[in-house]
Amino acid sequence: MAAVKPSTSILSRSSTSSSLASESRLSTAPQAKNPVSVRLYKVLSSNFDDNATKEALKTLSDLYVTLKAEEHNEKSSLSSHEDVENEGHEDMIRQPAVVALDEAVHGESAAQARRHMRKDMENKLRQGSEQFLEAFGDVDQKLDQLQQHISAMRLSCDEAENQLLLTTDSSKILLERAGSLRQERQDVENKKSVVTAFLARYTLTEQENEAIISRDEPVGPIFFAAMDRTEAIRDDCRILMSGEDGPMQAGIDIMASTSSSLEQGYEKIVRWCSHEFRQKGRELHFEVTATMREAVKRLRKRPELLTEVLSILSQTRQTTLMSSFTTALTRGGPSGLPRPIELHAHDPLRYIGDIFAWVHQAVAAERELLETLFQAANHRRMVGSVRIFDGKSEEEDWIQELMDLCVEKLCMPLKVSKIIRYVVN
C-alpha cells in the first residue's frame, strides 16, 4: 500500500498539471534562471495523458509495490528465526516502528524511487537476465543431451550401413546362384510341359489302361474308346519311327507298349464274346446288341480271333436249332400248339411240308441274326423276294459259312427212310 501511494500522488499531480501550467508560466517567468523553478516548471509542464506514459508509470508502481512486499517478507522471515522469549519484546518495539515506517513511506518512497530508479531497473534487468540465463542453461543442457543422442544414432546408422554392405557382398553369390536356379527351373518347367504333352499324346491314361486290362471293367463304350486311343497312338508313333536318323528308342518303346495293350484288349473282346455267345446264343430268338456288333467289327482285324469266336457261336446256334427242331418234331409249341410235326408222319406230303416250313423260318431268322451281327447291308430287300448277290463280300462269306454250320445237323432227327419210300413210290 505504501508503494501505491507515490504513484497515486503522481497521477493526481498529472491531473492538475494542465491547470497549474498556465499560472506557473506567469508566476515563474521572472524566476526562469532558478534551477528549482526550472525543475518545477519542467515537471508541471509535463503531459501524462498519453498511453505510453501511463503504462510506464503503472509499471514503475507495480515494480515498487513488489519490492516493498519482498522487503517486508524478508523482515518477517528474519523475525521468525529469533527466540520465543524475545517475541513479546520485539512485538512491542516493532509495532511503533512499522507505524513510523508507514507514515514515512508517503513522503520518502517517491524520493527514494527517484534516486534509485536506475539502480532498481538495472537490478530488475539483471534478475531477468539471470532467469533467462538459467532457462537457457537448461535448454543448452537438453541440446547437449540431444547432440549425444544424435551422435549415438549416427554411429548406429553407420554400423547398420556397414553391416548392410557386408550382407550385400556376402549375398551377391547367393543371388547369382538363385538367378541361375530360377533359369534352370524355367528350363525344367519348359521340358516338363513338353514331356507332359508328349505323354498325353503317346501314352494311355490310367483310366484308359484300366479299361483295357482290368477284368472288372466291362466291354462297352469306354473300352472301345480306349482301344481307339491305342490305335491312334500307334498311328502317330509311326512318325517317330520314320526319322532321318532311324527309329527312335521312344517310338520303339511306345509301339511295344501299345502292342501289348492291344493284344490284351483283343483277348478281352474274345473272352467277352465267347461268354455272350455261349449264354445268349442258347436262346432261339437271339438279340444282337450294339456292343456285340462293335466287338465283332473290331475282331475282323484279327481273323484268327474272329474264327475262334464264330466257331463258338456256330456250335451254340447249331445246338440250339437242333434242340428247337427236335422239340417241334416231338412236342410242338408251348401248351401243345402248334402240334408236333411227328403227328403227321403218316402223311409224308404234309410231314415234309411242315419240316420245310420250320427250316425255312429258322434259316431266315438265322440269316437276319448274322446280317445284324456283321452289319451287312440288305438294300431294303422285301420279305420273300429273291436275294441277288452281285459280288461276294467278306461279310457274305462269313454269313454263308455260319449258316451252313448252324443248319448242318437239322437232318439228323428226320426219318429219312419214310421220305425215301414215299419218293420212290
Side-chain angles (χ1 to χ4, degrees):
M1 295 298 293
V4 176
K5 290 179 180 180
S7 62
T8 305
S9 62
I10 294 172
L11 293 175
S12 61
R13 290 175 187 174
S14 64
S15 63
T16 59
S17 61
S18 59
S19 61
L20 296 176
S22 58
E23 297 177 359
S24 63
R25 289 179 191 147
L26 297 175
S27 61
T28 58
Q31 302 175 359
K33 296 181 179 180
N34 189 355
V36 177
S37 300
V38 174
R39 183 70 173 175
L40 181 59
Y41 177 75
K42 184 177 181 181
V43 170
L44 293 176
S45 63
S46 298
N47 187 11
F48 301 101
D49 293 335
D50 59 316
N51 295 329
T53 304
K54 291 181 180 180
E55 290 294 331
L57 294 174
K58 187 175 184 301
T59 302
L60 289 174
S61 177
D62 295 339
L63 175 63
Y64 284 107
V65 170
T66 305
L67 290 174
K68 291 297 181 179
E70 289 177 357
E71 291 176 358
H72 182 67
N73 290 332
E74 289 177 0
K75 291 178 180 179
S76 62
S77 62
L78 290 173
S79 62
S80 63
H81 291 287
E82 295 180 356
D83 296 333
V84 178
E85 294 177 357
N86 298 327
E87 281 186 2
H89 183 69
E90 286 294 330
D91 291 338
M92 294 174 65
I93 297 173
R94 190 186 308 166
Q95 288 176 359
V98 172
V99 173
L101 178 63
D102 293 336
E103 292 176 355
V105 164
H106 294 288
E108 295 180 0
S109 59
Q112 264 185 343
R114 284 194 297 274
R115 286 195 302 272
H116 302 289
M117 183 181 295
R118 181 180 296 278
K119 181 180 180 181
D120 293 338
M121 294 301 295
E122 289 177 355
N123 291 334
K124 193 65 177 176
L125 289 174
R126 179 179 55 78
Q127 293 176 1
S129 300
E130 289 177 355
Q131 293 177 358
F132 274 107
L133 287 175
E134 183 179 358
F136 282 119
D138 296 337
V139 173
D140 186 61
Q141 185 179 2
K142 298 295 183 182
L143 290 175
D144 292 339
Q145 295 178 359
L146 181 61
Q147 183 65 31
Q148 293 176 1
H149 290 306
I150 293 174
S151 300
M153 290 176 63
R154 184 179 292 107
L155 292 175
S156 300
C157 292
D158 293 339
E159 291 178 359
E161 184 178 3
N162 294 332
Q163 187 67 27
L164 182 61
L165 293 175
L166 293 175
T167 304
T168 303
D169 295 337
S170 60
S171 60
K172 184 177 181 180
I173 299 174
L174 181 61
L175 292 175
E176 293 177 355
R177 180 59 177 168
S180 62
L181 290 176
R182 191 180 296 108
Q183 184 63 35
E184 291 178 3
R185 179 182 178 181
Q186 185 64 34
D187 296 340
V188 170
E189 290 291 337
N190 295 334
K191 292 179 181 178
K192 180 181 178 181
S193 61
V194 172
V195 171
T196 302
F198 180 84
L199 293 177
R201 182 173 182 179
Y202 291 101
T203 58
L204 295 173
T205 62
E206 185 177 355
Q207 292 79 8
E208 292 172 345
N209 195 20
E210 188 72 15
I212 293 175
I213 297 175
S214 177
R215 292 177 178 268
D216 297 332
E217 294 291 334
V219 175
I222 298 177
F223 171 79
F224 293 132
M227 291 286 289
D228 293 336
R229 173 66 178 154
T230 306
E231 292 288 349
I233 289 174
R234 290 179 65 82
D235 293 339
D236 294 338
C237 190
R238 291 187 177 91
I239 300 175
L240 300 178
M241 301 292 291
S242 60
E244 296 180 357
D245 299 334
M248 297 178 63
Q249 185 63 36
I252 297 174
D253 296 338
I254 292 172
M255 291 295 287
S257 176
T258 53
S259 177
S260 176
S261 299
L262 280 178
E263 291 298 328
Q264 293 179 1
Y266 283 120
E267 289 177 1
K268 187 174 182 177
I269 293 175
V270 170
R271 289 195 302 270
W272 183 82
C273 290
S274 300
H275 178 268
E276 291 292 319
F277 290 159
R278 286 192 181 98
Q279 297 297 325
K280 296 183 178 181
R282 297 175 183 177
E283 302 175 1
L284 181 61
H285 302 288
F286 178 37
E287 183 180 358
V288 179
T289 62
T291 303
M292 195 174 295
R293 290 196 299 269
E294 185 66 23
V296 172
K297 179 181 178 181
R298 292 179 181 275
L299 287 177
R300 288 171 64 179
K301 298 179 182 179
R302 302 293 178 90
E304 66 280 1
L305 299 179
L306 182 60
T307 302
E308 180 182 352
V309 171
L310 293 180
S311 63
I312 295 173
L313 176 62
S314 64
Q315 292 175 5
T316 304
R317 295 305 297 171
Q318 188 181 83
T319 304
T320 301
L321 290 176
M322 184 176 177
S323 175
S324 299
F325 185 53
T326 303
T327 302
L329 289 175
T330 58
R331 296 181 184 179
S335 302
L337 293 176
R339 301 178 68 182
I341 298 176
E342 288 291 340
L343 293 178
H344 304 284
H346 61 281
D347 186 358
L349 184 60
R350 184 175 179 179
Y351 182 67
I352 293 174
D354 291 342
I355 291 174
F356 282 166
W358 191 95
V359 171
H360 178 270
Q361 183 180 2
V363 169
E366 289 299 313
R367 175 82 186 186
E368 183 179 358
L369 185 150
L370 293 175
E371 285 181 352
T372 304
L373 183 64
F374 285 97
Q375 301 180 10
N378 53 13
H379 302 288
R380 296 182 180 180
R381 185 183 67 84
M382 297 181 64
V383 178
S385 62
V386 180
R387 295 180 182 274
I388 300 175
F389 301 99
D390 296 333
K392 287 189 176 182
S393 61
E394 185 179 3
E395 294 87 355
E396 188 64 29
D397 292 339
W398 284 108
I399 291 172
Q400 291 183 3
E401 184 177 355
L402 288 175
M403 287 292 297
D404 293 340
L405 293 174
C406 291
V407 300
E408 185 179 16
K409 295 184 178 181
L410 291 181
C411 60
M412 292 180 62
L414 294 177
K415 295 181 179 180
V416 182
S417 58
K418 292 183 179 180
I419 298 174
I420 291 174
R421 283 200 302 269
Y422 174 78
V423 172
V424 170
N425 294 330

